[in-house]
Amino acid sequence: MMPFPVTTLGPQRTPPPPEHYGISSPISLAPPRETDCILTQKLIETLKPFGVFEEEEELQRRILILEKLNNLVKEWIREISESKSLPQAVIENVGGKIFTFGSYRLGVHTKGADIDALCVAPRHVDRSDFFTSFYDKLKLHEEVKDLRAVEEAFVPVIKLCFDGIEIDILFARLALQTIPEDLDLRDDSLLKNLDIRCIRSLNGCRVTDEILHLVPNIDNFRLTLRAIKLWAKCHNIYSNILGFLGGVSWAMLVARTCQLYPNAIASTLVRKFFLVFSEWEWPNPVLLKEPEERNLNLPVWDPRVNPSDRYHLMPIITPAYPQQNSTYNVSVSTRMVMIEEFKQGLAITHEILLSKAEWSKLFEAPSFFQKYKHYIVLLASAPTEKQHLEWVGLKNEFITLAHVNPQSFPAPKEKNSEVLSIDLTYDIQSFTDTVYRQAINSKMFEVDMKIAAMHLKRKELHQLLPNHVLQKKKTLSTEGVRLTALDAGSRDLSVGSESSTPVSSLPAASQTGPVPGSAPGGNSRGPAASVSGVQFPEVSSQQANPSDSPGGVASESLLQAAAQPAVPPAPKPMVTRVVSSARLVSHPPSLQYTLVSEFLMLTMHFMYIFIRK
């Protein structure tokens, strides 16, 4: 039987008898009250319009597609077995199987979500077979579209669209002659004699299955996780690659909450989630069970042994061997952002409990550009849509918070603020150097891929943002501002209107010319903007002296600046010096994009993201 979860919204199951889950005793064994049941039903009704529940018809369609894919895998493995002249008795029972993991396996996938799958094959089937003969077999299938292989990825994968459903298929070859139908991937002995790529591929399924076995009530866990994932996405803190938390990390936090309140239902668990993790004493790790050593000589997260693990700021440890920290990308800044969000979530759920607010308030999207006065914009251009890049990430010793997300937070109360000269020249230079180096090393660099950076104030955002976005909640400030473009030269602009809201790319009107070096009328990609907000209480902006930089100052518009020839590889940008005690919040574009994990490099001071459109 295939592990396809079915999520129902029917009556809650009777709470199980008290049982010890996790590494500590539960905080409370209190059963749900009538008010909790009412609040849970209201939560379900609030979630429905957001598309977090899939219709039964669509769910059955997914199951049918996975069954077809599973049969295709079995057929392919039989063919491989025959081609390698295995005994007929082995061929008859050789097996092979598709397992699922991620949000689909957890039972919390949303409408239209993709499916993470794992193809498990016996020992005589090589990875090269998977990326050749199986790939070719998929190519011939009429229901398969958009087929592509990423063989050199950290976790090699075949991506495809099967009858309208996007599926990512990983591959793992086990040291078994046949693959039985009742195979339990949680069995640690399966890891013996496997190469590291197979172990990585197995990890998703093993972690997902362990999570489901470590929660006291799966239905309550699923509904709570749906709510928390939606909240995290609405508040723009759902992204492992940007230094926040990914799906598995949110699942483990919710699972830990369920362990601490084993008899609680979703409305209570959501509130307790915010209570627990707004008060959590990081960097104490979140563990769903005690780590176990299997003597397989695989690297595991252990700060007692690994010095690098001691620097992890918000460790959430996967429950399957080899245990790993799923949040190694978290920085001081992103942790601060998430803790503040936990506190705000706790305050809102308290209002809901007191009937002073509805659940919808928890899922209201924030208005990032209302709160910040200063921004850093990164303009990226490439000769084609496919090669288009977007990136974001800055850090400076005088900046206390770098937020890679469009979310606003109240500034800390400043006392006796010092006036500091913040010079981002080195940071911008390091950032651009790294982006170019990563592009070259990964063989993705093209001659006309370019980057430019600029500092601007809130008033200037109307030159980057579409009108329909700017009409929302305008703020009060109207004073003139100055802007510096950080490409080959710098430009001083005066702009007069205030605007606020996230930006993903330059509006069509702003893309006034082709990318330099591209053919007229070709499929070139103009500069796209990524905006980073900087909040400065009582700040003054000071333009750097033109004589101190290579390009001089020209009075041109931002749109003209965007059309200028972009910076060549390893540029030497000029950077504005902003004078004030500062709080920098960095925001990635909200444009739909595909992250390419090979292009991520995270350090203590920088988060570089190289993204291919």
Side-chain angles (χ1 to χ4, degrees), residues 379-384 387-389 391 448-452 515-516 525-528 562 564 566-567:
L379 296 178
S381 62
T384 67
Q387 297 163 349
H388 183 59
L389 308 177
W391 48 80
D448 291 319
M449 288 181 176
K450 298 161 186 174
I451 178 175
V515 176
R525 178 70 179 183
Q564 293 295 315
V567 189

Side-chain angles (χ1 to χ4, degrees), residues 519-581:
N523 188 27
S524 63
R525 178 70 179 183
S530 173
V531 179
S532 306
V534 188
Q535 183 164 341
F536 298 154
E538 301 179 359
V539 69
S540 62
S541 263
Q542 176 177 310
Q543 179 74 24
N545 191 327
S547 63
D548 295 337
S549 63
V553 178
S555 179
E556 300 177 21
S557 73
L558 180 58
L559 301 185
Q560 291 172 328
Q564 293 295 315
V567 189
K572 302 293 182 184
M574 171 192 163
V575 184
T576 299
R577 290 186 176 186
V578 182
V579 181
S580 173
S581 57

